[in-house]
Structure formats: C-alpha cells, structure tokens
Amino acid sequence: ALREFVDRFGVPVFTTLNGKGVLSEVGTDLPRVVGSKGDTPANEYIGGCEVVLYAGSKMGDKSTNQYAWPSPGQFLVRIDHDPEIEDADPEHGCLLREDVADGLKLLSDALGEWSYAGPRPSAGTAGDWSKTGTASLVATVNAELSDRDVCVGEASVASGWFGALLRLAPPQRLITPRGTGSLGYAIPASVGAAVARPDATVWTLVGDGGLTMSVGELETIARLGLDVKITVLDNGRLNLIDQHAIHRHGAAAVSRDFHRIDWPALCASIGLPVMACDDPDRDAPEIASFFSRRGPAVLVLDTSVDEVSPDMAIAIRKVH
C-alpha cells in the first residue's frame, strides 16, 4: 500500500530506523532514514517541509530527531489505529485513526489526481560522519547482501551506521533495539534471526561494549554453525557515552581505563573463524572473501576513538 501511494503521487519518502527496508533503498533518490539514527541531510529536508505524513510510526524521540518535528509551522497528517493517540488540533494536523493500508487508501481517494510538485531531497548528499573505517565496512556488507538476508544492529553507534548507510531491498530486514535500547541485544537477536531464516545470512554489527554483555552467545553461534557474520567495532571504549560526556556535558570521557579485550583470541578459543582488520578500505576484498564462506565468522575491526558515526554527528551538531 505504501509503495502504491508513493508511486502514484511522487511524494518524497523517508523511513524511521525500524521502518527501514519497507521500500527498496537500492539505487538513487530512494528512502533514507530520518531521526537520531538517520542522517543530517534527511533531517534538514523534513524540517523544511510544510506537510509531514507519518504512517504507522509512534513518533518517539528517535524518529522525530528529539521531537524536532512537527515544528509549529508544519501540518502533521498521521495514520495510526492506536486508540491512545489523541486527536490532532485541526489547525495543525489531521489524525486518520486507521490501519496504515486503509488510511493510505482513504488518503489516495481524497487526493484524487493531485501529484507532488515541490522540492525534492538532494541526490547523493551525505552527512558529516567519518567516510572511512566503519563506513567502508558497511559498503562491503551492502555489496554482499543477498535476497533474504537479515542485518542486526546493536544499540548505540552500530544502529547509527546501519541506519544511515545500509541499503536494503525487501524482503531483506534490519533488526535493532530502536537504536539506543539496552546493550547486549545484537548477538542473541542474531541467533534468533538465523534460526528464523536458516536460508539467509545474518549480518551483525556490534560494538565491543555490547559484545561484552552477550559474549556467551558466541558459543551458541559456533556450536550450531549458524550463518552469522559478526563485525565487532573494537575501540576499547563505550565511545558514544564518552562522546556525550565530552560534547554535551563538558566532562571527561568515562571509559578510558577499560582493559582492552583480545577479541581475536577469545573468538578463536570458542572455535569461530576470526579476522582482525584496522583498515577496511584497504582490506575490502579480503573481508568479502572471509565472509563468503557459509557459517559463522567474526571480523574484529580496530576503530579509532575519533571516528564519528552518523548518529554521533547528529548529536554533536545539536550541541554545537
């Protein structure tokens, strides 16, 4: 229903993090993620719109860029059948208390022959995150994805990287804990995804902080031989928390005294194939070859504490 609506009226469309992949993101001028786990150009475009249509989103803090919209001058059209949502002020919005598909059909009937003729997002515009390192790794994942693959992003910066740079086409899926849920989510979720879609490869992006909270599930993945490809962003820190401490509160980093874990040795001791890398741009062919074999594999990516993820770039920009 959403695809038909967008094709009929030519409306620029964006998704939230959890809505990512509902429409194909492969190609140019296609859906991008908005909000705290999206990218700055998408957020700026939404901020300049006169009318914003939200279909099925609960419009929490992450999907509205910390409630940056609807702004006072925007008209909000919202489709949702949640009985707890309050009716909109008719001067500032309209609530269609319907299932999303039914609501889009009603809206299509009302719009008739209308078509969108306003400005469109700038094609190819990128945010101000670090363009090497993890960004290169996600580009490799994009190139290796096949029809029914599932991607799993840990809370924190992993969800930010996948939200802004991962390119999905249905029925590919992204699973995350809304981007900033509890650490330790990604590895157990990867086990579930691999069991649910045994014909698919599961691509998992997890920080070293999140992995310390779910390291036992690596044994499950090894023992069952699940086709889970794990990339560990290893900087020996809880870096998003450190960056918030520095940029939002003017304080010192809070995780500088953490012991550095030897993840390649730990994964090898469990029986997992493991590769260490400090330059995914240079090693992209080797990484693709490493991940091409069926079954589990772990890439330990040595990342800089100065690397800026897409969501970190948004947070820093808000402060400064």
Side-chain angles (χ1 to χ4, degrees):
L2 178 60
R3 187 179 300 109
E4 290 176 0
F5 183 89
V6 172
D7 289 346
R8 175 175 173 180
F9 298 109
V11 178
V13 60
F14 299 85
T15 74
T16 64
L17 181 66
N18 281 354
K20 188 175 177 66
V22 66
L23 297 176
S24 176
E25 301 171 320
V26 178
T28 58
D29 195 24
L30 292 167
R32 298 293 182 256
V33 173
V34 295
S36 302
K37 296 295 177 178
D39 64 57
T40 299
N43 290 337
E44 290 178 342
Y45 180 86
I46 295 292
C49 292
E50 295 175 339
V51 179
V52 180
L53 166 64
Y54 261 78
S57 169
K58 63 183 177 181
M59 296 187 66
D61 59 331
K62 300 297 174 292
S63 56
T64 58
N65 198 20
Q66 305 297 324
Y67 305 109
W69 53 75
S71 63
Q74 289 179 319
F75 191 87
L76 172 68
V77 180
R78 188 173 184 184
I79 304 174
D80 203 307
H81 59 25
D82 185 344
E84 296 185 4
I85 296 176
E86 297 181 1
D87 288 328
D89 176 353
E91 291 187 9
H92 299 100
C94 171
L95 172 64
L96 298 179
R97 204 179 295 277
E98 300 281 350
D99 171 82
V100 170
D102 293 339
L104 289 171
K105 176 65 168 59
L106 289 170
L107 194 55
S108 294
D109 293 343
L111 290 173
E113 299 302 314
W114 175 86
S115 64
Y116 178 77
R120 310 195 72 84
S122 299
T125 305
D128 47 1
W129 54 79
S130 298
K131 301 302 188 295
T132 58
T134 305
S136 176
L137 182 278
V138 178
T140 299
V141 172
N142 285 334
E144 299 301 315
L145 283 171
S146 59
D147 291 348
R148 284 173 49 80
D149 285 359
V150 180
C151 297
V152 180
E154 181 61 86
S156 191
V157 299
S159 290
W161 285 114
F162 269 178
L165 299 183
L166 193 66
R167 298 290 177 256
L168 301 178
Q172 295 167 352
R173 292 286 307 277
L174 171 65
I175 304 172
T176 77
R178 285 192 64 241
T180 50
S182 298
L183 288 177
Y185 171 93
I187 302 301
S190 300
V191 173
V195 171
R197 282 193 179 178
D199 58 327
T201 297
V202 177
W203 301 85
T204 303
L205 191 62
V206 59
D208 50 354
L211 186 55
T212 60
M213 301 181 188
S214 55
V215 68
E217 299 302 329
L218 293 177
E219 187 278 335
T220 304
I221 291 171
R223 175 165 40 85
L224 299 181
L226 301 177
D227 192 18
V228 178
K229 314 302 187 190
I230 301 167
T231 297
V232 184
L233 304 180
D234 180 21
N235 55 27
R237 303 274 186 92
L238 296 174
N239 204 35
L240 186 61
I241 293 175
D242 277 1
Q243 295 298 327
H244 276 277
I246 294 167
H247 291 283
R248 297 183 70 90
H249 304 290
V254 299
S255 62
R256 290 177 178 172
D257 58 345
F258 282 14
H259 289 287
R260 197 70 181 262
I261 295 173
D262 188 342
W263 290 112
L266 188 151
C267 292
S269 72
I270 296 173
L272 289 166
V274 61
M275 173 182 175
C277 172
D278 61 5
D279 189 342
D281 291 297
R282 179 197 64 210
D283 296 339
E286 289 77 10
I287 294 170
S289 176
F290 175 67
F291 280 151
S292 67
R293 297 185 289 272
R294 183 78 180 172
V298 180
L299 173 69
V300 180
L301 188 60
D302 188 353
T303 56
S304 168
V305 295
D306 297 319
E307 183 178 73
V308 178
S309 63
D311 52 342
M312 193 183 298
I314 290 172
I316 293 172
R317 182 168 181 156
K318 274 182 170 290
V319 172
H320 296 293

